[in-house]
Amino acid sequence: MNGILLQLFQDTLVVLIAPLLLGWVNQCRAWLQNRSGPGVLRPYLNMVKLFHKDAVLAHNASPMFRFHPYILFACMWLAASLVPVIATDLPLSPAVDVIALVGIFALARVFVSLAAMDIGTSFGTLGARREMLVGFLAEPALLMVFFTAAAISHSTSLTTIVETLAHKQFIIHPSLAFAAVAFIMVLLAENARIPVDNPSTHLELTMIHEAMILEYSARHLALIEWASALKLLAFTTIGFALFMPWGIAEAGNWGALPLALAALFIKLTVAGAGLALLETISAKMRIFRVPEFMGTAFLLAVLGLLVHFLHGN
Amino acid sequence: MENFSGQLINLFAALLLLISFGMLSQRRVLSLINLFALQGLMLTISTVIVAYSSHQHHLYYSAALTLVLKVIILPWILHRLMRKLNVKWDIETLFNIPTTMLVGIALVVFAFNLAAPISMMGGAITKSTLGIAMASVLLSFLMMITRSKAVPQVIGFLAMENGLFFAATSATYGMPMVVELGIALDVLVGMFILGIFFFQIRETFDSLDLKHMEKLKED
């Protein structure tokens, strides 16, 4: 019963704070560029505005096009609620391990690309193709990162990984250093951040994510924006679970929950600022450099696994 | 405590390997020098930890030597050379980084396999880092092969020396002091001579690209 309550609390929490994280990253980026910035609450206001508008659909849009925002939102919400964000005692999490989690992201990607090609505009098709290019390279890298953590904790379940890394004896795992670098590269690519894609651009030939959602308006667009915020939050919390799981409450330990919540907010604040810094100091890559970038991420993750087996623990 | 310092050494060894890969894939010569200095710093820290945990006092001297020579003097000389040769913003056109990295991974697997039986025999706290040391030697070697400009090749050479030094520390708690001093002097003098070579090469060929030296005859 307690577990279900906790699961419900976490689901509500992630869906509510996801736009806040996005707003915080944007605000930090604005500060770093010497602008005053739109404020951390901007994504919420944007979504309220979009929900009040009337949706416009193309004449030749199929039902797929209409359903896609809901599917995407559901996928991302599910992904974010499966990650142990504040506690490891989640009833939903035994159902899905890290490999299935990658599968959920892949499912969302398939629908995004199909919906982008549905209308038949050239921008949508272009964006979908690029998304598939980035996605098929990012996925194996993400899997290898997960395998490194799984090899350490002898389990592919995220909750077990967190419990092994955070609550057992403190051991430094050099292999996780490689995995962390690879994971950050995957995070940047999957969330359409700067070296791979620019989230704050419209109508440019280099865009990937924006090109796919050009045809959406009103509530559909709001849901898609919300889903991308959830995806960013899901990836950030996966990063916390793998590389700095300290503070996440153990199963049955209710007293640690307020502390876990505080730790989560501190980690999110730092990680958001770090992400903004990373985006500010790096330049957008040419699209044909992206395979190289993702290849490096994959090789680093493989190297992490190799180092793990070298030390043989 | 013993266990914890062993883990710390493993961590710094892993970072050393990570930096080796970073150097392999770095296009900008300036960043290459900074990575080299960072690698020297990792080497210094891990040597100090080995010295502390194994109570080998002469290792403190080698750590200090590494710090002064490889973190401060050599990068400084290289920066100065870059400024004088006016190649500060040089970007090298590397062929196909993923292929190079794949070869690098193969080298790492080879080195790990090669080092496994040796580290089985050793009882040192640092035994599992021998594979990493050998891997970083081979990676620096690979870097020297794949680069065509003079400065990155020299950095590859210096990084190889870093790897060798690390191998010596991890396998036998460092070399005798005389040998170490000799190598340090060698590297320093070698650097000066190579610096003079840079100017000569550029004067003769108008560039630092070593491809021009493959021709044996004037045409």
Side-chain angles (χ1 to χ4, degrees):
Chain A
M1 189 59 209
N2 281 343
I4 295 171
L5 269 181
L6 194 62
Q7 181 77 59
L8 283 176
F9 175 65
Q10 185 189 315
D11 291 359
T12 329
L13 181 77
V14 289
V15 83
L16 287 182
I17 65 168
L20 190 65
L21 176 66
L22 198 63
W24 169 243
V25 173
N26 288 341
Q27 181 66 40
C28 284
R29 244 166 57 141
W31 279 335
L32 283 168
Q33 292 163 354
N34 263 339
R35 294 186 284 123
S36 55
V40 287
L41 297 179
R42 191 69 250 171
Y44 294 103
L45 300 175
N46 267 349
M47 275 192 294
V48 169
K49 182 183 78 183
L50 285 172
F51 273 120
H52 277 99
K53 287 189 173 179
D54 283 332
V56 180
L57 284 178
H59 286 298
N60 51 355
S62 69
M64 240 284 331
F65 186 78
R66 301 184 69 153
F67 291 135
H68 152 251
Y70 303 101
I71 297 172
L72 179 68
F73 185 76
C75 279
M76 291 311 162
W77 196 3
L78 180 62
S81 60
L82 287 170
V83 184
V85 173
I86 47 172
T88 55
D89 187 17
L90 297 175
L92 256 185
S93 112
V96 170
D97 64 353
V98 282
I99 301 169
L101 197 62
V102 176
I104 292 175
F105 288 126
L107 182 72
R109 185 169 14 252
V110 167
F111 276 102
V112 164
S113 306
L114 283 180
M117 289 191 283
D118 189 61
I119 300 281
T121 60
S122 45
F123 258 132
T125 318
L126 175 144
R129 283 186 193 168
R130 287 179 178 173
E131 171 74 9
M132 285 326 243
L133 171 76
V134 175
F136 104 94
L137 290 162
E139 229 163 69
L142 186 60
L143 274 175
M144 291 314 275
V145 170
F146 281 144
F147 288 160
T148 309
I152 289 169
S153 54
H154 304 292
S155 163
T156 54
S157 152
L158 256 182
T159 46
T160 318
I161 292 174
V162 169
E163 270 171 10
T164 316
L165 292 178
H167 302 304
K168 295 269 167 63
Q169 188 198 4
F170 178 71
I171 300 172
I172 300 173
H173 296 286
S175 49
L176 281 184
F178 291 90
V181 177
F183 183 78
I184 290 170
M185 291 166 93
V186 173
L187 185 146
L188 291 172
E190 283 268 11
N191 289 290
R193 309 312 294 190
I194 254 181
V196 179
D197 185 9
N198 192 345
S200 58
T201 179
H202 278 289
L203 291 173
E204 229 187 277
L205 280 174
T206 54
M207 61 189 177
I208 302 174
H209 180 72
E210 289 294 330
M212 289 192 294
I213 60 170
L214 272 180
E215 296 293 326
Y216 279 101
S217 57
R219 57 177 187 276
H220 298 136
L221 184 60
L223 274 180
I224 292 175
E225 301 271 330
W226 204 346
S228 359
L230 269 169
K231 189 177 186 184
L232 181 64
L233 184 76
F235 264 88
T236 325
T237 47
I238 290 173
F240 294 154
L242 295 184
F243 308 115
M244 29 180 180
W246 308 290
I248 297 176
E250 259 180 300
N253 188 354
W254 288 87
L257 272 185
L259 195 69
L261 210 55
L264 174 70
F265 274 95
I266 292 169
K267 284 192 276 191
L268 280 179
T269 312
V270 174
L275 182 60
L277 182 69
L278 210 60
E279 278 194 90
T280 310
I281 57 173
S282 50
K284 164 104 178 56
M285 275 186 295
R286 282 194 297 139
I287 189 85
F288 294 115
R289 280 277 161 82
V290 172
E292 197 173 274
F293 185 75
M294 297 323 297
T296 310
F298 176 71
L299 292 175
L300 282 177
V302 172
L303 210 59
L305 259 187
L306 285 178
V307 168
H308 172 75
F309 288 122
L310 173 77
H311 294 310
N313 45 10
Chain B
M1 190 60 215
E2 182 90 336
N3 195 13
F4 184 66
S5 53
Q7 287 171 21
L8 269 183
I9 292 164
N10 282 346
L11 178 69
F12 282 105
L15 289 179
L16 202 79
L17 190 62
L18 194 61
I19 293 170
S20 293
F21 266 93
M23 285 164 99
L24 201 60
S25 63
Q26 184 55 257
R27 283 197 175 82
R28 278 175 200 280
V29 183
L30 206 63
S31 316
L32 211 55
I33 298 176
N34 294 337
L35 277 177
F36 170 69
L38 197 64
Q39 196 184 36
L41 191 67
M42 293 298 147
L43 196 60
T44 312
I45 297 172
S46 65
T47 313
V48 168
I49 298 169
V50 172
Y52 178 76
S53 55
S54 66
H55 309 291
Q56 302 273 335
H57 289 290
H58 73 271
L59 276 181
Y60 284 119
Y61 299 119
S62 15
L65 200 66
T66 315
L67 183 70
V68 172
L69 195 67
K70 286 172 194 155
V71 186
I72 299 167
I73 295 184
L74 285 181
W76 179 71
I77 293 177
L78 282 167
H79 272 295
R80 232 174 85 96
L81 273 175
M82 299 284 290
R83 246 197 337 270
K84 285 210 170 161
L85 289 164
N86 208 12
V87 286
K88 204 171 168 186
W89 302 113
D90 253 25
I91 296 172
E92 208 171 3
T93 46
L94 288 174
F95 75 98
N96 208 343
I97 288 180
T99 314
T100 320
M101 299 280 277
L102 269 180
V103 177
I105 289 277
L107 284 180
V108 170
V109 174
F110 175 71
F112 282 8
N113 271 319
L114 200 64
I118 305 170
S119 39
M120 286 280 208
M121 289 187 291
I125 172 174
T126 49
K127 58 182 178 180
S128 60
T129 52
L130 183 65
I132 290 184
M134 288 177 73
S136 54
V137 170
L138 289 177
L139 284 176
S140 313
F141 204 51
L142 179 65
M143 183 181 145
M144 281 175 77
I145 295 171
T146 54
R147 301 294 173 128
S148 65
K149 293 238 168 82
V151 181
Q153 282 199 358
V154 168
I155 296 173
F157 167 72
L158 294 171
M160 192 156 78
E161 209 276 323
N162 270 354
L164 280 174
F165 183 85
F166 189 65
T169 325
S170 59
T172 60
Y173 290 143
M175 294 172 273
M177 204 62 216
V178 183
V179 180
E180 240 161 61
L181 278 175
I183 291 178
L185 199 66
D186 259 6
V187 169
L188 198 60
V189 172
M191 193 59 233
F192 281 123
I193 295 173
L194 287 168
I196 297 166
F197 269 3
F198 287 163
F199 285 99
Q200 291 292 337
I201 292 168
R202 198 182 57 164
E203 212 157 273
T204 320
F205 300 114
D206 273 335
S207 94
L208 280 173
D209 201 326
L210 297 183
K211 278 200 189 98
H212 300 291
M213 294 174 81
E214 288 168 6
K215 274 186 283 182
L216 292 176
K217 282 186 223 153
E218 300 260 335
D219 45 16

